Amino acid sequence: MENMIEVKHLSFEYEAGAKTIEDISFTIPKGSYTTILGHNGSGKSTIAKLLIGLLEGEGEIIVDHIPLTIDTLYDVRSKVGIVFQNPDNQFIGSTVRDDIAFGLENLCVDPNKMEGIIEEYARKVNMYEFLDHEPTKLSGGQKQRVAIAGILAMSPSIIILDEATSMLDPLGKREINELVHSLNKEKGMTILSITHDIEEAAISDQVILMGDGHIIQTGTPDQVLKEVKTLESLALDVPFAYKITSALKKKGFPIEETIDQKGLVETLWQLHSKK
């Protein structure tokens, strides 16, 4: 499978002698939904900044076959959209409409098509009625929705979500996750979600588990998120569905353990049907 991102022997330190990231290597397949999972301070957000050249580390980063250097920085960033945990630093426009338009203007999108694109993505994140509001007067969750709309409107090849749903309520988080997953499946966008949310990781294609600047494990969600002792050692929770199905299996119920919440519902329904 073709890789969209390749990271080779990457290291970074904020202070001399104290590496935040130490000699990590991984690949992100084109069109995949990958989660980098780790607790606060594990180094996962530093990776996001390294991938778009906001920080410069040791090692090699290749984005869509382009090695990341000072000379290729613009080319790489034109392929990647990133949404950070705190959206305040991402606002440019005086209104929500202007802010979503900013990235499109930089891409020289036809002005006749721009308004339709702005309205489309404002609706997708449930911010259409706020298009003429000032971003500074929005709530934290609303600001995050606008930041996400601005990135999605540009239709980048790669979207990096750095704890991007952490400020949203559960409904908002589910809506944004569903939107991003649909873009991944329908438009083939490569998604990299950087999070400590175990349930987000459970619905990925690939999980990269981080701990103290190192990669602990890489694999499918089934391979990584059923390692209870490893997760607990990294101060991470276990998927809710896995807790329930594991407990039921230990009590003798003939079921398969699952990390998927939809799978949990189906399992419980089958158990109920057999009564």
Side-chain angles (χ1 to χ4, degrees):
M1 182 179 292
E2 182 180 358
N3 290 319
M4 183 60 82
I5 296 176
E6 295 179 66
V7 172
K8 301 177 182 179
H9 303 292
L10 182 64
S11 296
F12 177 80
E13 56 187 23
Y14 287 103
E15 298 178 7
K19 286 193 180 338
T20 304
I21 300 293
E22 186 168 6
D23 193 24
I24 66 170
S25 299
F26 62 87
T27 59
I28 296 177
K30 184 175 182 178
S32 69
Y33 194 118
T34 296
T35 297
I36 295 181
L37 177 68
H39 58 75
N40 292 335
S42 62
K44 61 187 188 299
S45 289
T46 299
I47 293 175
K49 296 181 178 70
L50 289 164
L51 289 177
I52 59 168
L54 288 178
L55 297 174
E56 185 177 358
E58 301 173 4
E60 189 175 7
I61 296 172
I62 302 170
V63 179
D64 197 12
H65 307 292
I66 302 172
L68 177 60
T69 66
I70 295 296
D71 294 333
T72 63
L73 196 55
Y74 176 81
D75 293 329
V76 169
R77 288 184 179 175
S78 68
K79 295 177 176 291
V80 182
I82 185 166
V83 184
F84 292 104
Q85 181 176 12
N86 184 351
D88 287 334
N89 297 328
Q90 293 185 252
F91 287 115
I92 303 295
S94 59
T95 66
V96 168
R97 187 187 308 275
D98 291 342
D99 196 77
I100 298 174
F102 179 77
L104 298 173
E105 290 167 350
N106 285 340
L107 294 176
C108 299
V109 172
D110 184 342
N112 295 320
K113 297 179 180 179
M114 196 179 297
E115 188 60 27
I117 296 171
I118 292 169
E119 292 184 358
E120 176 187 356
Y121 284 96
R123 289 183 189 278
K124 284 182 180 294
V125 298
N126 290 328
M127 290 299 293
Y128 178 78
E129 62 187 277
F130 295 91
L131 278 173
D132 296 314
H133 285 58
E134 294 180 33
T136 55
K137 295 183 178 179
L138 300 175
S139 69
Q142 289 170 332
K143 289 177 182 178
Q144 194 64 294
R145 288 173 181 268
V146 174
I148 292 170
I151 294 300
L152 297 182
M154 294 188 290
S155 296
S157 302
I158 307 163
I159 297 177
I160 299 176
L161 304 169
D162 184 12
E163 300 279 10
T165 62
S166 61
M167 297 180 68
L168 302 179
D169 58 30
L171 176 59
K173 182 179 291 189
R174 186 172 73 247
E175 289 174 347
I176 294 301
N177 282 335
E178 288 176 354
L179 171 60
V180 174
H181 273 274
S182 70
L183 291 169
N184 168 243
K185 299 302 181 187
E186 295 166 14
K187 294 192 175 183
M189 286 185 182
T190 302
I191 309 297
L192 175 58
S193 175
I194 295 172
T195 184
H196 64 272
D197 189 326
I198 204 79
E199 303 301 342
E200 283 190 40
I203 53 176
S204 305
D205 298 320
Q206 173 181 238
V207 177
I208 300 170
L209 182 61
M210 293 285 301
D212 298 324
H214 296 85
I215 292 178
I216 306 302
Q217 187 177 355
T218 299
T220 66
D222 264 343
Q223 291 169 332
V224 177
L225 302 184
K226 290 181 178 180
E227 297 294 332
V228 177
K229 290 183 179 179
T230 300
L231 294 174
E232 290 177 344
S233 72
L234 297 172
L236 293 169
D237 203 357
V238 177
F240 176 75
Y242 189 66
K243 288 181 182 179
I244 298 299
T245 51
S246 293
L248 290 172
K249 189 170 184 177
K250 287 178 181 177
K251 289 184 176 293
F253 289 95
I255 62 171
E256 292 295 324
E257 295 168 325
T258 181
I259 61 169
D260 180 56
Q261 293 195 8
K262 290 182 179 178
L264 171 61
V265 171
E266 183 177 340
T267 295
L268 294 178
W269 174 250
Q270 288 176 350
L271 285 176
H272 178 74
S273 300
K274 291 176 181 178
K275 285 186 176 181

